[in-house]
Amino acid sequence: MDIQKVALFAAPVTAIIALCYGVYLTLQILKEEEGTEKMKEIAQAIRQGSMAYLKRQFTVILPFMVIIAVLIGWKLDIGTMLTFLLGAVFSGISGFAGMWVAVRANVRTANNALKGLNPALKTAFGAGTVNGMLIVGLGLLGVSIIYIFSYLKNINATDVLVGYGFGAALVALFMRVGGGIFTKAADVGADLVGKVEKGIPEDDPRNPATIADNVGDNVGDCAGMGADVFESYAITIVAAMILGGAAFGLPGVVFPLVARAGAIVTSIIGTFFVKARSEDENPMSALNRGFIVASVFALVLFLGLSYFLLGDIRVGYAAAVGLGAMILILFLTQYYTGTNFGPVQNIAKASQTGAGTNLITGLAYGMESVAPIVLVVCATIGLGYHFAGFFGISLAGMGMLAVTGIIMSMDTFGPVADNADGIAEMSNMPEKGKRVLGSLDAVGNTTKALTKGFAIGSAAVAASSLFATYFEKTGLTSIDIGSPLVFIGILAGAMIPYLFSSRLVSAVGKAATLMVEEVRRQFKEIKGIMEGTAKPDYAKCVSISTEAAQKELIIPAAIVIFSPVIIGFMGKEALGGFLGGVILSSLCLALFSCNAGAAWDNAKKYIEAGNLGGKGTDTHKAAVVGDTVGDPLKDTSGPALNPMIKIINIVALLIVQFIKL
């Protein structure tokens, strides 16, 4: 059997099947009714704001991407430039198309909630599955196209695959940064003025920032997360193919393609098990069933392929380690951010004595959460290396991303359910529908937190794979941290994530200030908003968030791209130290930011559910302050560190070819 021909057939065909499944689900969703005229009006405002934002963002991104592509073509080669553009286009499509479906599924989910739990769950999860299938389908299709072209032209695919990962990661960075700034500026304005000053819900139609807040859920959690996970998915394939070729020759190059193809099938199978058994069942149980089924099938797949394709079961063990690590990270994230566990409840209790103690307690748990997850990542890297060397590390990363299709289904489910709940609130939906959507929204908050933990953990392992690839490309076997230049590189690398994050948090602060002032102005100048006799100017709030997000795209990207180039002139050992510093610092800072922010958010929601006095109390107001501080951490700077880590590592791989190190 010619294994290369098997890969040529299996990988692209499976990718196309995933995309076709996504198209089928999209058509099924669009057949559903949108509900009342009021619901349609609200949904249209969210849809128009979301699409207008993305159009504006791509206008800003395009010139920058063209400049980078020209530089790659000039300094490297045309093949790498073309794969860079392919990765960028596919990453952009995955974010754009996933959000396109989400902003049409939200109102249909809301309307179906009047029919019961399963109809609403089916629509929301179906929209999420479309996003999941886009990510895995386009991710594998892109690599397959490059591999097929290389096979036909008799050239080494691994020489140009790095460009694909770079294009995907750079677009993901832009979408993560822009979407994060947009959504948090709107969220802070809706919370601080609406909830704290006026005592109305963030989704109350009288709140001028409510449409911008719902738009933000889509551009941040759908488009941003979709592009983010797409590039992790693509990069782990690239790293595994490069390291697999070094370890096993052609079979090692083919293995990641075939394994990814099979894992797509397991994710599709898992989606058929997501169905509530009764109207009273927690929707999280239905989601977990699909996840468990997909994971079990993926485990069997990896072990079987490693034995029959490579003749070494240890390769399968390395991938299994990654799969197990993903489950552990999801559990640990749920413990530190879920409303049913001690950390969030203790933060809520601390709010009884004011915002200060809320912040102190949240900081403590955010810091604590870093330790167990980092230990899991350390064990994953160590065991992956034990079983199959550097190739094993990359396979552990593949294992963590094995069921990306269904995990992203769970992630996008969150903002769709959140939007649906907001539409129900603004359109005065009957209580039956609100109860169903309330349960879906609560689960959606949990899935969003879980998938952020998944994204960070997988980013760290993916970056470790790229780090190992850097050693492979440069011929280094080790670096001496006692060397002054290496130590300077480590310190500089550890500093970059803080500089990068400071720009993003500062941008959210500036945009949130403008948003708060605008919402206050509207309450003051537009008479009748609080009485419901006048309509707020929602478009102005959307415009403020959009403009603020676009202003801050270029400088963070420049920091990420040019910092490894500058350090690169100090030598290959110094650059290796720099990469190590970036990975270590980014992992810890991202985990702290996302977990602390999610814990503050859910502490607020725990109180709003009727605990510790409920809404409108001083305890609730203190918790809102904590949530406001955590918002830019969990939805802007923390998640943006994921693509940042990988871009820096990819740039290092690219510059070794033309900078004399």
Side-chain angles (χ1 to χ4, degrees):
M1 181 187 297
D2 188 333
I3 56 174
Q4 192 163 7
K5 290 182 179 178
V6 170
L8 286 174
F9 174 78
V13 168
T14 308
I16 291 170
I17 288 172
L19 295 174
C20 289
Y21 184 47
V23 170
Y24 167 76
L25 290 174
T26 300
L27 295 175
Q28 294 299 112
I29 291 168
L30 294 178
K31 288 179 181 178
E32 301 288 345
E33 294 293 328
E34 295 185 69
T36 65
E37 289 303 317
K38 182 65 175 176
M39 292 168 66
K40 292 178 183 178
E41 178 187 344
I42 296 165
Q44 185 179 21
I46 296 171
R47 185 162 59 246
Q48 288 176 342
S50 300
M51 303 313 290
Y53 167 78
L54 275 191
K55 182 179 179 181
R56 177 84 173 270
Q57 178 165 270
F58 283 126
T59 302
V60 174
I61 291 175
L62 184 60
F64 193 79
M65 300 300 290
V66 170
I67 292 171
I68 296 296
V70 170
L71 286 173
I72 292 173
W74 174 43
K75 286 293 185 179
L76 296 176
D77 56 76
I78 298 300
T80 304
M81 181 190 77
L82 293 175
T83 58
F84 168 81
L85 292 173
L86 184 65
V89 169
F90 276 14
S91 182
I93 290 174
S94 67
F96 178 87
M99 196 192 75
W100 188 92
V101 176
V103 295
R104 286 160 176 76
N106 52 15
V107 66
R108 292 168 169 85
T109 299
N111 186 55
N112 281 343
L114 294 170
K115 303 175 185 176
L117 176 60
N118 260 323
L121 174 62
K122 180 182 178 181
T123 303
F125 184 74
T129 303
V130 172
N131 201 19
M133 292 301 108
L134 279 168
I135 289 166
V136 297
L138 289 173
L140 184 58
L141 182 61
V143 176
S144 300
I145 290 172
I146 296 168
Y147 188 73
I148 291 170
F149 182 80
S150 301
Y151 174 78
L152 295 175
K153 294 294 184 180
N154 197 28
I155 60 176
N156 189 353
T158 57
D159 289 340
V160 295
L161 274 169
V162 175
Y164 182 71
F166 186 31
L170 195 55
V171 169
L173 179 71
F174 280 123
M175 297 187 79
R176 257 302 180 197
V177 169
I181 294 171
F182 183 107
T183 185
K184 289 306 103 182
D187 200 3
V188 169
D191 275 359
L192 286 184
V193 184
K195 286 185 176 180
V196 177
E197 295 182 9
K198 295 298 182 180
I200 61 175
E202 58 187 286
D203 286 324
D204 193 299
R206 295 172 295 176
N207 193 329
T210 188
I211 295 296
D213 189 16
N214 281 279
V215 169
D217 289 333
N218 293 295
V219 301
D221 286 323
C222 288
M225 177 64 93
D228 182 0
V229 174
F230 172 86
E231 52 93 10
S232 286
Y233 186 84
I235 283 169
T236 52
I237 302 177
V238 172
M241 290 177 72
I242 293 172
L243 295 170
F248 288 92
L250 180 59
V253 175
V254 171
F255 179 86
L257 287 174
V258 180
R260 275 283 189 254
I264 287 177
V265 176
T266 68
S267 290
I268 293 174
I269 292 171
T271 63
F272 290 104
F273 289 82
V274 179
K275 185 177 181 181
R277 291 173 175 170
S278 70
E279 286 295 312
D280 298 325
E281 185 181 28
N282 187 334
M284 193 71 211
S285 299
L287 295 175
N288 282 336
R289 271 195 297 276
F291 171 73
I292 291 169
V293 169
S295 299
V296 170
F297 275 104
L299 176 61
V300 174
L301 170 77
F302 279 126
L303 293 174
L305 282 176
S306 66
Y307 181 78
F308 289 106
L309 188 58
L310 298 181
D312 190 344
I313 194 68
R314 293 176 302 171
V315 171
Y317 293 157
V321 165
L323 193 58
M326 176 193 63
I327 295 170
L328 279 175
I329 289 173
L330 292 179
F331 171 77
L332 288 168
T333 303
Q334 186 172 10
Y335 172 74
Y336 280 103
T337 62
T339 56
N340 297 328
F341 299 97
V344 165
Q345 293 180 6
N346 289 336
I347 294 170
K349 291 174 184 176
S351 305
Q352 293 176 306
T353 51
T357 45
N358 167 283
L359 292 171
I360 291 169
T361 308
L363 285 170
Y365 278 116
M367 293 175 183
E368 179 185 306
S369 71
V370 173
I373 297 178
V374 166
L375 289 175
V376 170
V377 173
C378 289
T380 303
I381 294 170
L383 288 171
Y385 184 80
H386 170 73
F387 287 124
F390 286 134
F391 185 39
I393 296 174
S394 66
L395 289 176
M398 282 191 62
M400 294 185 75
L401 290 157
V403 288
T404 295
I406 198 163
I407 288 177
M408 284 310 301
S409 302
M410 294 168 66
D411 176 75
T412 308
F413 164 87
V416 172
D418 193 346
N419 267 206
D421 194 41
I423 291 170
E425 179 72 34
M426 287 183 274
S427 63
N428 296 315
M429 179 179 283
E431 202 58 38
K432 176 187 176 183
K434 286 184 178 180
R435 280 197 302 271
V436 170
L437 292 172
S439 66
L440 293 180
D441 187 27
V443 169
N445 289 325
T446 301
T447 60
K448 285 189 289 184
L450 293 179
T451 47
K452 282 187 176 71
F454 153 77
I456 294 167
S458 61
V461 177
S464 298
S465 300
L466 291 171
F467 191 39
T469 306
Y470 173 78
F471 275 71
E472 180 73 27
K473 288 286 187 181
T474 57
L476 286 170
T477 55
S478 63
I479 54 175
D480 179 11
I481 63 171
S483 165
L485 288 180
V486 173
F487 197 68
I488 289 171
I490 293 172
L491 289 176
M495 169 271 294
I496 288 295
Y498 288 89
L499 176 63
F500 176 79
S501 297
S502 73
R503 294 289 310 183
L504 304 190
V505 174
S506 174
V508 172
K510 293 174 185 176
T513 299
L514 294 175
M515 186 67 71
V516 167
E517 290 173 351
E518 173 60 22
V519 174
R520 285 174 176 167
R521 181 195 69 79
Q522 291 196 33
F523 275 121
K524 182 180 179 180
E525 297 180 8
I526 302 177
K527 305 300 181 184
I529 288 182
M530 285 300 292
E531 294 76 19
T533 57
K535 185 178 179 180
D537 185 357
Y538 301 126
K540 180 63 176 176
C541 292
V542 172
S543 176
I544 288 173
S545 276
T546 300
E547 291 176 9
Q550 304 312 312
K551 287 179 181 178
E552 292 294 332
L553 288 177
I554 303 302
I555 293 179
I559 291 172
V560 173
I561 292 172
F562 293 112
S563 59
V565 174
I566 294 169
I567 298 296
F569 287 104
M570 296 170 59
K572 59 185 178 182
E573 292 87 359
L575 184 54
F578 178 79
L579 298 180
V582 167
I583 294 170
L584 296 175
S585 179
S586 297
L587 173 61
C588 294
L589 183 58
L591 287 171
F592 162 75
S593 299
C594 290
N595 289 341
W600 274 315
D601 185 10
N602 279 339
K604 177 196 71 174
K605 289 183 169 65
Y606 178 76
I607 294 168
E608 289 175 348
N611 300 294
L612 305 175
K615 297 179 182 179
T617 62
D618 289 339
T619 301
H620 179 230
K621 291 179 180 179
V624 171
V625 173
D627 178 38
T628 302
V629 172
D631 269 342
L633 299 180
K634 73 179 175 66
D635 288 327
T636 309
S637 65
L641 288 168
N642 300 341
M644 189 212 78
I645 302 174
K646 287 163 285 188
I647 289 175
I648 286 179
N649 278 269
I650 291 172
V651 170
L653 287 176
L654 291 172
I655 65 175
V656 298
Q657 301 180 52
F658 65 90
I659 291 182
K660 187 176 181 180
L661 297 176

